[in-house]
Amino acid sequence: IHVPPLYYKTMDPPPSVDYDRHSDKVLRFGITRLEIGKPVHADPEEKNPILLPTHCRVGHFTYAAPLKIYYTREHGGLHAPEEFGFEAGYFPIMLKSDKCHLKGMGPP
């Protein structure tokens, strides 16, 4: 599931970085996008992966969602740019925000 990142709503993407250390070849890195998912349990064996604020309150941990960073790597223009991604950790989620599972829910 692609979740549009909040990062681009407020800022332009960061510039790419060129690296040339005494060589005629340039290695270029650039961050292409950031994705903040919905809160999920960190334990992959959990039957229901959805993480609710109640679970966090009872378990004494932060209501957070995975943060993924995607970047491109280009080596001297010889190859097409390659995109890589990695999970950078967890980002705290505000209750009833777009990323919260409770968004749009009212009192019972």
Side-chain angles (χ1 to χ4, degrees):
I1 297 174
H2 173 72
V3 180
L6 299 174
Y7 179 80
Y8 292 124
K9 291 182 181 178
T10 57
M11 299 174 65
D12 291 329
S16 62
V17 177
D18 293 339
Y19 179 74
D20 183 5
R21 183 145 178 117
H22 312 296
S23 172
D24 57 346
K25 295 183 175 55
V26 175
L27 185 59
R28 178 175 287 152
F29 289 94
I31 295 175
T32 55
R33 68 183 191 270
L34 303 175
E35 291 179 2
I36 300 173
K38 293 242 182 185
V40 292
H41 283 282
D43 183 10
E45 295 183 14
E46 187 70 34
K47 289 182 183 177
N48 185 4
I50 293 175
L51 180 65
L52 296 173
T54 304
H55 301 135
C56 298
R57 187 171 47 251
V58 170
H60 301 290
F61 51 93
T62 303
Y63 186 55
L67 171 65
K68 293 185 179 180
I69 299 176
Y70 292 89
Y71 65 95
T72 56
R73 177 183 72 184
E74 183 179 358
H75 185 62
L78 301 174
H79 305 283
E82 299 173 284
E83 185 174 68
F84 299 93
F86 64 96
E87 193 168 295
Y90 286 85
F91 191 82
I93 301 297
M94 183 179 280
L95 293 177
K96 303 256 180 154
S97 69
D98 288 342
K99 304 297 179 189
C100 180
H101 294 293
L102 302 180
K103 179 180 169 101
M105 297 178 91

